[in-house]
Amino acid sequence: MASLTRRRLIGGLAPLVGAAAAARLAGVSPAGAAKHEHGATAGAAPGHAANHAAFRRGGRVDHRANGFDPHAILRDFDAGTVRREGGRTVREWTVVAEDKEIEVAPGVKFAAWAFNGRVPGPTLRAREGERLRIRFVNGSTHPHTIHFHGIHAAAMDGVPGLGAGLVQPGERTVYEFDADPFGLHVYHCHTPPLASHIAKGLHGAFLIDPKEERPPADEMVMVLNGFDTNFDRSNEVYAANSIPFAYMDEPIRVRQNELVRIYLANMLEFDLVNSFHLHGNFFQYFPTGTSLQPAEFTDTVMQCQGQRGILEWRFPQKGKFMFHAHQSEFTELGWVGFFEVV
Amino acid sequence: MEARAATREAGIRFGRVPAWVLGALPLLLAALAIGGFAALGGPGLGERAGPPVEELAFERTVLEPGRIVLHVRNDGPDPVQVAQVTVNDGFAQFAMDGTEIGQLGSREIAVEYPWVEGEAYEVALLTSTGGTIAHEVPVAVETPDTDVGFLGLLALLGVYVGVIPVALGMLWLPFVGRVGENWVRVLLAITVGLLGFLALDATLEAVEIAGEGAAVLGGAALPFLGAALAYLALTGVDAHLRARAGRARDAGAAGATLALLVAVGIGLHNLGEGLAIGSAYAIGALALGAFLVVGFAIHNTTEGLAIVAPLAGGRPRLRRLVGLGLIAGAPAILGAWIGAVAFNPALAAFLIGAGAGAILQVILQLMPSLRDRAGRALTPATVAGIAGGAAIMYVTGLLVSL
């Protein structure tokens, strides 16, 4: 602004100007005197510091209109349908890609691409060694694929130019491979432009349980993501399971002393890293979930794009405990929530 | 030949119709055509492709303890839904009347934010389509309350910046009366230089400010509209004064008219200067305001010279001199009030542009007075004077702007 440039320059020229006259003028100004009293407190509104960053009061995303609720996604594991073929367990799913407008913040609509009508897509859960068969239907108006992380044949990799390659609108294909190795993996569309196809919603968690079962626990999946609503290749909102502040508005209820297990995968685009930080507690961390021995006992874990792991802990005390990205910017743009221990 | 005959025939036929009907007929037909077009839903035209165009202009920002209040105007062709607000990459609570801002509509958006004095903030409005419209607060400083004391302070500021310097500059009158005819021409040339510099400076500033305002309210055209209107208005005033002076046959009347025109032009200019000072005060140039005042005072003293230079030949009465000083200087007070209380980029651009137009008119009025006996206006002496005047403004202008 012109006046600011002016202001700065005047400041620089101050010594040149008649200092006595200036001092007199400054002394005359009652506003000048009042300002100094303000210095220490300006901006600090009483009571406001007690509030967290949040959407405009009373605003909630309409989960019903979106067709998915982040609280339901949390504990929703899709085991598919199981059949026996030649003495072997075969697990099958049908995954449909579609264009879908979703509300990513109260009053803010985003033209997403979704697997099975939700973002993140269904959490596909299998057991180590099973044969997996995923029927992919492209109901979108754009070509898509599903690229699974895991050990499989090149033709089943879900990238352009290999196997079925790009699946055109209205077409379908089948991806088939063994559930190997056990751990927490992800799947996502691999159509160029890649960042855009992932960021618009075509991503999800892919969980392979070990043959030897993990201890029973209250299991939840959190896919970390965000939305670039103005297409400037940086995100306007951040969340676990798509909807910002959803677990602030309604905390995740867990039981005291019960083992909590979080399947955590970072599918955020445009930002290089993401993280998970737990308040008032520490957790065991199993990177990629490929070992049954934890690698770290910590309260903060960092994940780059596509990285994932399993977290386990118990809450010894009742109360509300916060969790969020330790990138404070992500926190205040929506990626924050509460566990309520009862 | 045939065509001309046909026209004459048509003319005869229309001759029986009253003139007002002929005048109203095209308007009536246009209204019918527009009405029919609208009633039929614009046949042949499809809906505009693509998402709505969202444009908002931030006309004014007020900082109160714990709050940043934005005054925004919808600048674009479509309504804008403000869904959420972020401050420095964090969602913030805000109060606003509804969510939709209609075309040309304006709203006050009060954002709750514990801002810290002296820091910079980016307030972004997240619209229903996911678009963001950002506004920068370069240096956060509490906006002063506009109570009587504050208005009084601004009036004092206007007196310091406008009235006193102009009055001081007018004290050159005895000097102007004593020097010879050739020197008066040089002094008038210096005045032309001073005014030319001011006109250029004001035009550039007005165009810059216009860029911040709502484009739909005129944008970059506003300074030029203001300039044209002021130019025409002053030309009208000049013609009126000259007609009166012609009847009076007063010896010093031409000089007095010129002095009055210069005073009005400078007054309009000082209105714009007051605007700049008032808005600078309002956005927190408070401590440095004193230096701003000193700079403007030195800068404006030369304006007094411009007023008295045309009076060299006559013996004006004191009352007239005081009047001229007030016309030239007092608008700074009004400008400071408008600038601090109701700053609006569109209005400011218009007013500062008007100042530039007024000055341009005054320059054209002054030019004949530069003529020597041979009738040449641009002699080496007057050219040097013009250049010197511009140089004086440039140097004293360093105290207030760049």
Side-chain angles (χ1 to χ4, degrees), chain B residues 71-103:
Chain B
H71 295 256
V72 299
R73 184 177 296 280
N74 184 347
D75 213 6
D78 297 315
V80 175
Q81 309 266 357
V82 177
Q84 302 296 338
V85 172
T86 63
V87 182
N88 282 7
D89 297 329
F91 285 105
Q93 291 296 321
F94 65 102
M96 174 186 169
D97 196 11
T99 57
E100 182 172 296
I101 308 177
Q103 200 188 349

PDB file of all heavy atoms in Angstrom, chain B residues 71-103:
ATOM      1  N   HIS B  71     -13.777  -5.015   5.574  1.00  0.00           N
ATOM      2  CA  HIS B  71     -14.926  -4.517   4.815  1.00  0.00           C
ATOM      3  C   HIS B  71     -14.689  -4.934   3.366  1.00  0.00           C
ATOM      4  O   HIS B  71     -13.764  -4.445   2.726  1.00  0.00           O
ATOM      5  CB  HIS B  71     -15.035  -3.002   4.937  1.00  0.00           C
ATOM      6  CG  HIS B  71     -15.326  -2.548   6.337  1.00  0.00           C
ATOM      7  ND1 HIS B  71     -16.561  -2.123   6.739  1.00  0.00           N
ATOM      8  CD2 HIS B  71     -14.543  -2.501   7.442  1.00  0.00           C
ATOM      9  CE1 HIS B  71     -16.525  -1.798   8.023  1.00  0.00           C
ATOM     10  NE2 HIS B  71     -15.304  -2.024   8.473  1.00  0.00           N
ATOM     11  N   VAL B  72     -15.507  -5.859   2.877  1.00  0.00           N
ATOM     12  CA  VAL B  72     -15.282  -6.382   1.534  1.00  0.00           C
ATOM     13  C   VAL B  72     -16.455  -6.025   0.625  1.00  0.00           C
ATOM     14  O   VAL B  72     -17.582  -5.857   1.086  1.00  0.00           O
ATOM     15  CB  VAL B  72     -15.089  -7.924   1.533  1.00  0.00           C
ATOM     16  CG1 VAL B  72     -13.882  -8.302   2.354  1.00  0.00           C
ATOM     17  CG2 VAL B  72     -16.316  -8.625   2.051  1.00  0.00           C
ATOM     18  N   ARG B  73     -16.138  -5.894  -0.647  1.00  0.00           N
ATOM     19  CA  ARG B  73     -17.190  -5.627  -1.632  1.00  0.00           C
ATOM     20  C   ARG B  73     -17.069  -6.648  -2.752  1.00  0.00           C
ATOM     21  O   ARG B  73     -15.971  -6.968  -3.204  1.00  0.00           O
ATOM     22  CB  ARG B  73     -17.059  -4.214  -2.199  1.00  0.00           C
ATOM     23  CG  ARG B  73     -18.202  -3.847  -3.155  1.00  0.00           C
ATOM     24  CD  ARG B  73     -18.086  -2.429  -3.642  1.00  0.00           C
ATOM     25  NE  ARG B  73     -18.211  -1.455  -2.570  1.00  0.00           N
ATOM     26  CZ  ARG B  73     -19.375  -1.053  -2.054  1.00  0.00           C
ATOM     27  NH1 ARG B  73     -20.515  -1.527  -2.518  1.00  0.00           N
ATOM     28  NH2 ARG B  73     -19.411  -0.182  -1.074  1.00  0.00           N
ATOM     29  N   ASN B  74     -18.217  -7.180  -3.174  1.00  0.00           N
ATOM     30  CA  ASN B  74     -18.220  -8.135  -4.285  1.00  0.00           C
ATOM     31  C   ASN B  74     -18.009  -7.387  -5.593  1.00  0.00           C
ATOM     32  O   ASN B  74     -18.828  -6.594  -6.019  1.00  0.00           O
ATOM     33  CB  ASN B  74     -19.537  -8.907  -4.319  1.00  0.00           C
ATOM     34  CG  ASN B  74     -19.530  -9.976  -5.393  1.00  0.00           C
ATOM     35  OD1 ASN B  74     -18.651  -9.985  -6.258  1.00  0.00           O
ATOM     36  ND2 ASN B  74     -20.497 -10.862  -5.340  1.00  0.00           N
ATOM     37  N   ASP B  75     -16.909  -7.700  -6.184  1.00  0.00           N
ATOM     38  CA  ASP B  75     -16.384  -7.001  -7.333  1.00  0.00           C
ATOM     39  C   ASP B  75     -16.731  -7.696  -8.641  1.00  0.00           C
ATOM     40  O   ASP B  75     -16.533  -7.154  -9.714  1.00  0.00           O
ATOM     41  CB  ASP B  75     -14.862  -7.066  -7.153  1.00  0.00           C
ATOM     42  CG  ASP B  75     -14.202  -5.858  -7.682  1.00  0.00           C
ATOM     43  OD1 ASP B  75     -14.953  -4.987  -8.054  1.00  0.00           O
ATOM     44  OD2 ASP B  75     -12.977  -5.799  -7.722  1.00  0.00           O
ATOM     45  N   GLY B  76     -17.200  -8.932  -8.537  1.00  0.00           N
ATOM     46  CA  GLY B  76     -17.342  -9.768  -9.726  1.00  0.00           C
ATOM     47  C   GLY B  76     -18.773  -9.886 -10.204  1.00  0.00           C
ATOM     48  O   GLY B  76     -19.684  -9.263  -9.656  1.00  0.00           O
ATOM     49  N   PRO B  77     -18.987 -10.710 -11.216  1.00  0.00           N
ATOM     50  CA  PRO B  77     -20.311 -10.836 -11.818  1.00  0.00           C
ATOM     51  C   PRO B  77     -21.243 -11.793 -11.065  1.00  0.00           C
ATOM     52  O   PRO B  77     -22.437 -11.810 -11.326  1.00  0.00           O
ATOM     53  CB  PRO B  77     -20.007 -11.385 -13.210  1.00  0.00           C
ATOM     54  CG  PRO B  77     -18.717 -12.114 -13.052  1.00  0.00           C
ATOM     55  CD  PRO B  77     -17.956 -11.419 -11.965  1.00  0.00           C
ATOM     56  N   ASP B  78     -20.700 -12.605 -10.142  1.00  0.00           N
ATOM     57  CA  ASP B  78     -21.525 -13.607  -9.462  1.00  0.00           C
ATOM     58  C   ASP B  78     -21.522 -13.380  -7.952  1.00  0.00           C
ATOM     59  O   ASP B  78     -20.579 -12.804  -7.416  1.00  0.00           O
ATOM     60  CB  ASP B  78     -20.971 -15.012  -9.744  1.00  0.00           C
ATOM     61  CG  ASP B  78     -21.035 -15.359 -11.221  1.00  0.00           C
ATOM     62  OD1 ASP B  78     -22.089 -15.099 -11.824  1.00  0.00           O
ATOM     63  OD2 ASP B  78     -20.037 -15.856 -11.752  1.00  0.00           O
ATOM     64  N   PRO B  79     -22.577 -13.871  -7.263  1.00  0.00           N
ATOM     65  CA  PRO B  79     -22.560 -13.807  -5.796  1.00  0.00           C
ATOM     66  C   PRO B  79     -21.414 -14.668  -5.255  1.00  0.00           C
ATOM     67  O   PRO B  79     -21.035 -15.663  -5.875  1.00  0.00           O
ATOM     68  CB  PRO B  79     -23.913 -14.391  -5.383  1.00  0.00           C
ATOM     69  CG  PRO B  79     -24.705 -14.558  -6.612  1.00  0.00           C
ATOM     70  CD  PRO B  79     -23.782 -14.512  -7.777  1.00  0.00           C
ATOM     71  N   VAL B  80     -20.877 -14.279  -4.112  1.00  0.00           N
ATOM     72  CA  VAL B  80     -19.787 -15.031  -3.485  1.00  0.00           C
ATOM     73  C   VAL B  80     -20.266 -15.526  -2.122  1.00  0.00           C
ATOM     74  O   VAL B  80     -20.843 -14.767  -1.346  1.00  0.00           O
ATOM     75  CB  VAL B  80     -18.542 -14.131  -3.304  1.00  0.00           C
ATOM     76  CG1 VAL B  80     -17.453 -14.872  -2.548  1.00  0.00           C
ATOM     77  CG2 VAL B  80     -18.019 -13.668  -4.654  1.00  0.00           C
ATOM     78  N   GLN B  81     -20.059 -16.830  -1.864  1.00  0.00           N
ATOM     79  CA  GLN B  81     -20.391 -17.399  -0.558  1.00  0.00           C
ATOM     80  C   GLN B  81     -19.108 -17.541   0.239  1.00  0.00           C
ATOM     81  O   GLN B  81     -18.232 -18.313  -0.138  1.00  0.00           O
ATOM     82  CB  GLN B  81     -20.988 -18.807  -0.720  1.00  0.00           C
ATOM     83  CG  GLN B  81     -22.134 -18.915  -1.696  1.00  0.00           C
ATOM     84  CD  GLN B  81     -23.464 -18.788  -1.011  1.00  0.00           C
ATOM     85  OE1 GLN B  81     -23.528 -18.670   0.211  1.00  0.00           O
ATOM     86  NE2 GLN B  81     -24.532 -18.793  -1.785  1.00  0.00           N
ATOM     87  N   VAL B  82     -19.011 -16.815   1.319  1.00  0.00           N
ATOM     88  CA  VAL B  82     -17.828 -16.933   2.179  1.00  0.00           C
ATOM     89  C   VAL B  82     -18.115 -18.040   3.194  1.00  0.00           C
ATOM     90  O   VAL B  82     -18.953 -17.883   4.076  1.00  0.00           O
ATOM     91  CB  VAL B  82     -17.522 -15.607   2.894  1.00  0.00           C
ATOM     92  CG1 VAL B  82     -16.330 -15.771   3.826  1.00  0.00           C
ATOM     93  CG2 VAL B  82     -17.256 -14.511   1.873  1.00  0.00           C
ATOM     94  N   ALA B  83     -17.437 -19.186   3.037  1.00  0.00           N
ATOM     95  CA  ALA B  83     -17.726 -20.329   3.903  1.00  0.00           C
ATOM     96  C   ALA B  83     -16.874 -20.315   5.161  1.00  0.00           C
ATOM     97  O   ALA B  83     -17.373 -20.552   6.257  1.00  0.00           O
ATOM     98  CB  ALA B  83     -17.517 -21.641   3.142  1.00  0.00           C
ATOM     99  N   GLN B  84     -15.584 -20.085   5.004  1.00  0.00           N
ATOM    100  CA  GLN B  84     -14.678 -20.121   6.151  1.00  0.00           C
ATOM    101  C   GLN B  84     -13.632 -19.034   6.000  1.00  0.00           C
ATOM    102  O   GLN B  84     -13.434 -18.492   4.911  1.00  0.00           O
ATOM    103  CB  GLN B  84     -13.981 -21.497   6.253  1.00  0.00           C
ATOM    104  CG  GLN B  84     -14.930 -22.684   6.373  1.00  0.00           C
ATOM    105  CD  GLN B  84     -15.761 -22.667   7.650  1.00  0.00           C
ATOM    106  OE1 GLN B  84     -15.396 -22.041   8.648  1.00  0.00           O
ATOM    107  NE2 GLN B  84     -16.907 -23.334   7.614  1.00  0.00           N
ATOM    108  N   VAL B  85     -12.953 -18.754   7.104  1.00  0.00           N
ATOM    109  CA  VAL B  85     -11.897 -17.744   7.099  1.00  0.00           C
ATOM    110  C   VAL B  85     -10.652 -18.327   7.753  1.00  0.00           C
ATOM    111  O   VAL B  85     -10.752 -18.992   8.788  1.00  0.00           O
ATOM    112  CB  VAL B  85     -12.342 -16.476   7.863  1.00  0.00           C
ATOM    113  CG1 VAL B  85     -11.176 -15.501   8.017  1.00  0.00           C
ATOM    114  CG2 VAL B  85     -13.505 -15.799   7.151  1.00  0.00           C
ATOM    115  N   THR B  86      -9.500 -18.127   7.132  1.00  0.00           N
ATOM    116  CA  THR B  86      -8.249 -18.503   7.793  1.00  0.00           C
ATOM    117  C   THR B  86      -7.422 -17.247   8.014  1.00  0.00           C
ATOM    118  O   THR B  86      -7.504 -16.287   7.254  1.00  0.00           O
ATOM    119  CB  THR B  86      -7.410 -19.492   6.959  1.00  0.00           C
ATOM    120  OG1 THR B  86      -7.023 -18.862   5.732  1.00  0.00           O
ATOM    121  CG2 THR B  86      -8.153 -20.768   6.658  1.00  0.00           C
ATOM    122  N   VAL B  87      -6.644 -17.265   9.083  1.00  0.00           N
ATOM    123  CA  VAL B  87      -5.662 -16.212   9.332  1.00  0.00           C
ATOM    124  C   VAL B  87      -4.314 -16.907   9.475  1.00  0.00           C
ATOM    125  O   VAL B  87      -4.181 -17.835  10.291  1.00  0.00           O
ATOM    126  CB  VAL B  87      -5.972 -15.415  10.611  1.00  0.00           C
ATOM    127  CG1 VAL B  87      -4.944 -14.297  10.809  1.00  0.00           C
ATOM    128  CG2 VAL B  87      -7.374 -14.838  10.566  1.00  0.00           C
ATOM    129  N   ASN B  88      -3.344 -16.504   8.674  1.00  0.00           N
ATOM    130  CA  ASN B  88      -2.016 -17.131   8.692  1.00  0.00           C
ATOM    131  C   ASN B  88      -2.097 -18.657   8.750  1.00  0.00           C
ATOM    132  O   ASN B  88      -1.555 -19.294   9.651  1.00  0.00           O
ATOM    133  CB  ASN B  88      -1.183 -16.609   9.870  1.00  0.00           C
ATOM    134  CG  ASN B  88      -0.618 -15.240   9.577  1.00  0.00           C
ATOM    135  OD1 ASN B  88      -0.944 -14.638   8.557  1.00  0.00           O
ATOM    136  ND2 ASN B  88       0.237 -14.756  10.462  1.00  0.00           N
ATOM    137  N   ASP B  89      -2.824 -19.252   7.821  1.00  0.00           N
ATOM    138  CA  ASP B  89      -2.924 -20.703   7.702  1.00  0.00           C
ATOM    139  C   ASP B  89      -3.509 -21.374   8.931  1.00  0.00           C
ATOM    140  O   ASP B  89      -2.968 -22.365   9.423  1.00  0.00           O
ATOM    141  CB  ASP B  89      -1.548 -21.314   7.390  1.00  0.00           C
ATOM    142  CG  ASP B  89      -1.010 -20.831   6.062  1.00  0.00           C
ATOM    143  OD1 ASP B  89      -1.826 -20.565   5.171  1.00  0.00           O
ATOM    144  OD2 ASP B  89       0.217 -20.726   5.929  1.00  0.00           O
ATOM    145  N   GLY B  90      -4.571 -20.810   9.454  1.00  0.00           N
ATOM    146  CA  GLY B  90      -5.299 -21.476  10.531  1.00  0.00           C
ATOM    147  C   GLY B  90      -6.740 -21.006  10.473  1.00  0.00           C
ATOM    148  O   GLY B  90      -6.991 -19.813  10.272  1.00  0.00           O
ATOM    149  N   PHE B  91      -7.694 -21.946  10.633  1.00  0.00           N
ATOM    150  CA  PHE B  91      -9.094 -21.519  10.596  1.00  0.00           C
ATOM    151  C   PHE B  91      -9.402 -20.651  11.802  1.00  0.00           C
ATOM    152  O   PHE B  91      -8.905 -20.895  12.895  1.00  0.00           O
ATOM    153  CB  PHE B  91     -10.032 -22.721  10.536  1.00  0.00           C
ATOM    154  CG  PHE B  91     -10.062 -23.359   9.179  1.00  0.00           C
ATOM    155  CD1 PHE B  91      -9.409 -24.555   8.941  1.00  0.00           C
ATOM    156  CD2 PHE B  91     -10.702 -22.725   8.129  1.00  0.00           C
ATOM    157  CE1 PHE B  91      -9.411 -25.127   7.674  1.00  0.00           C
ATOM    158  CE2 PHE B  91     -10.712 -23.295   6.858  1.00  0.00           C
ATOM    159  CZ  PHE B  91     -10.072 -24.497   6.634  1.00  0.00           C
ATOM    160  N   ALA B  92     -10.217 -19.629  11.587  1.00  0.00           N
ATOM    161  CA  ALA B  92     -10.537 -18.694  12.661  1.00  0.00           C
ATOM    162  C   ALA B  92     -12.041 -18.479  12.718  1.00  0.00           C
ATOM    163  O   ALA B  92     -12.747 -18.621  11.719  1.00  0.00           O
ATOM    164  CB  ALA B  92      -9.823 -17.366  12.427  1.00  0.00           C
ATOM    165  N   GLN B  93     -12.515 -18.152  13.924  1.00  0.00           N
ATOM    166  CA  GLN B  93     -13.926 -17.811  14.098  1.00  0.00           C
ATOM    167  C   GLN B  93     -14.173 -16.444  13.484  1.00  0.00           C
ATOM    168  O   GLN B  93     -13.307 -15.572  13.517  1.00  0.00           O
ATOM    169  CB  GLN B  93     -14.273 -17.783  15.578  1.00  0.00           C
ATOM    170  CG  GLN B  93     -14.244 -19.137  16.236  1.00  0.00           C
ATOM    171  CD  GLN B  93     -15.289 -20.066  15.665  1.00  0.00           C
ATOM    172  OE1 GLN B  93     -16.410 -19.643  15.365  1.00  0.00           O
ATOM    173  NE2 GLN B  93     -14.942 -21.321  15.495  1.00  0.00           N
ATOM    174  N   PHE B  94     -15.375 -16.273  12.943  1.00  0.00           N
ATOM    175  CA  PHE B  94     -15.688 -14.951  12.405  1.00  0.00           C
ATOM    176  C   PHE B  94     -17.186 -14.719  12.435  1.00  0.00           C
ATOM    177  O   PHE B  94     -17.972 -15.666  12.485  1.00  0.00           O
ATOM    178  CB  PHE B  94     -15.160 -14.799  10.975  1.00  0.00           C
ATOM    179  CG  PHE B  94     -15.816 -15.704   9.966  1.00  0.00           C
ATOM    180  CD1 PHE B  94     -16.785 -15.204   9.100  1.00  0.00           C
ATOM    181  CD2 PHE B  94     -15.460 -17.034   9.875  1.00  0.00           C
ATOM    182  CE1 PHE B  94     -17.394 -16.042   8.164  1.00  0.00           C
ATOM    183  CE2 PHE B  94     -16.061 -17.866   8.944  1.00  0.00           C
ATOM    184  CZ  PHE B  94     -17.031 -17.376   8.087  1.00  0.00           C
ATOM    185  N   ALA B  95     -17.554 -13.461  12.448  1.00  0.00           N
ATOM    186  CA  ALA B  95     -18.964 -13.084  12.412  1.00  0.00           C
ATOM    187  C   ALA B  95     -19.210 -12.314  11.128  1.00  0.00           C
ATOM    188  O   ALA B  95     -18.406 -11.484  10.724  1.00  0.00           O
ATOM    189  CB  ALA B  95     -19.313 -12.215  13.619  1.00  0.00           C
ATOM    190  N   MET B  96     -20.319 -12.667  10.486  1.00  0.00           N
ATOM    191  CA  MET B  96     -20.659 -12.019   9.226  1.00  0.00           C
ATOM    192  C   MET B  96     -22.150 -12.176   9.045  1.00  0.00           C
ATOM    193  O   MET B  96     -22.738 -13.162   9.479  1.00  0.00           O
ATOM    194  CB  MET B  96     -19.896 -12.742   8.106  1.00  0.00           C
ATOM    195  CG  MET B  96     -20.239 -12.309   6.709  1.00  0.00           C
ATOM    196  SD  MET B  96     -19.384 -13.372   5.520  1.00  0.00           S
ATOM    197  CE  MET B  96     -20.227 -12.873   4.027  1.00  0.00           C
ATOM    198  N   ASP B  97     -22.765 -11.194   8.424  1.00  0.00           N
ATOM    199  CA  ASP B  97     -24.191 -11.248   8.189  1.00  0.00           C
ATOM    200  C   ASP B  97     -24.462 -12.242   7.057  1.00  0.00           C
ATOM    201  O   ASP B  97     -24.208 -11.929   5.901  1.00  0.00           O
ATOM    202  CB  ASP B  97     -24.658  -9.833   7.826  1.00  0.00           C
ATOM    203  CG  ASP B  97     -26.161  -9.692   7.951  1.00  0.00           C
ATOM    204  OD1 ASP B  97     -26.776 -10.610   8.516  1.00  0.00           O
ATOM    205  OD2 ASP B  97     -26.696  -8.683   7.476  1.00  0.00           O
ATOM    206  N   GLY B  98     -24.938 -13.431   7.386  1.00  0.00           N
ATOM    207  CA  GLY B  98     -25.168 -14.461   6.371  1.00  0.00           C
ATOM    208  C   GLY B  98     -23.856 -14.977   5.817  1.00  0.00           C
ATOM    209  O   GLY B  98     -22.802 -14.825   6.435  1.00  0.00           O
ATOM    210  N   THR B  99     -23.920 -15.614   4.641  1.00  0.00           N
ATOM    211  CA  THR B  99     -22.679 -16.072   4.019  1.00  0.00           C
ATOM    212  C   THR B  99     -22.535 -15.499   2.614  1.00  0.00           C
ATOM    213  O   THR B  99     -21.444 -15.405   2.097  1.00  0.00           O
ATOM    214  CB  THR B  99     -22.645 -17.613   3.896  1.00  0.00           C
ATOM    215  OG1 THR B  99     -23.790 -18.035   3.160  1.00  0.00           O
ATOM    216  CG2 THR B  99     -22.631 -18.272   5.254  1.00  0.00           C
ATOM    217  N   GLU B 100     -23.671 -15.102   2.019  1.00  0.00           N
ATOM    218  CA  GLU B 100     -23.607 -14.688   0.616  1.00  0.00           C
ATOM    219  C   GLU B 100     -23.418 -13.181   0.475  1.00  0.00           C
ATOM    220  O   GLU B 100     -24.061 -12.397   1.161  1.00  0.00           O
ATOM    221  CB  GLU B 100     -24.887 -15.106  -0.113  1.00  0.00           C
ATOM    222  CG  GLU B 100     -24.836 -14.747  -1.590  1.00  0.00           C
ATOM    223  CD  GLU B 100     -26.018 -15.317  -2.374  1.00  0.00           C
ATOM    224  OE1 GLU B 100     -26.128 -16.541  -2.450  1.00  0.00           O
ATOM    225  OE2 GLU B 100     -26.812 -14.515  -2.895  1.00  0.00           O
ATOM    226  N   ILE B 101     -22.515 -12.801  -0.413  1.00  0.00           N
ATOM    227  CA  ILE B 101     -22.351 -11.391  -0.765  1.00  0.00           C
ATOM    228  C   ILE B 101     -22.780 -11.258  -2.220  1.00  0.00           C
ATOM    229  O   ILE B 101     -22.166 -11.839  -3.111  1.00  0.00           O
ATOM    230  CB  ILE B 101     -20.898 -10.925  -0.611  1.00  0.00           C
ATOM    231  CG1 ILE B 101     -20.363 -11.284   0.792  1.00  0.00           C
ATOM    232  CG2 ILE B 101     -20.793  -9.428  -0.843  1.00  0.00           C
ATOM    233  CD1 ILE B 101     -18.910 -10.929   0.989  1.00  0.00           C
ATOM    234  N   GLY B 102     -23.865 -10.534  -2.441  1.00  0.00           N
ATOM    235  CA  GLY B 102     -24.397 -10.389  -3.792  1.00  0.00           C
ATOM    236  C   GLY B 102     -23.529  -9.461  -4.620  1.00  0.00           C
ATOM    237  O   GLY B 102     -22.627  -8.793  -4.105  1.00  0.00           O
ATOM    238  N   GLN B 103     -23.812  -9.432  -5.898  1.00  0.00           N
ATOM    239  CA  GLN B 103     -23.055  -8.579  -6.803  1.00  0.00           C
ATOM    240  C   GLN B 103     -23.119  -7.127  -6.340  1.00  0.00           C
ATOM    241  O   GLN B 103     -24.200  -6.612  -6.047  1.00  0.00           O
ATOM    242  CB  GLN B 103     -23.635  -8.718  -8.208  1.00  0.00           C
ATOM    243  CG  GLN B 103     -22.675  -8.270  -9.280  1.00  0.00           C
ATOM    244  CD  GLN B 103     -23.348  -8.235 -10.628  1.00  0.00           C
ATOM    245  OE1 GLN B 103     -24.450  -8.727 -10.779  1.00  0.00           O
ATOM    246  NE2 GLN B 103     -22.689  -7.652 -11.596  1.00  0.00           N
TER     247      GLN B 103
END
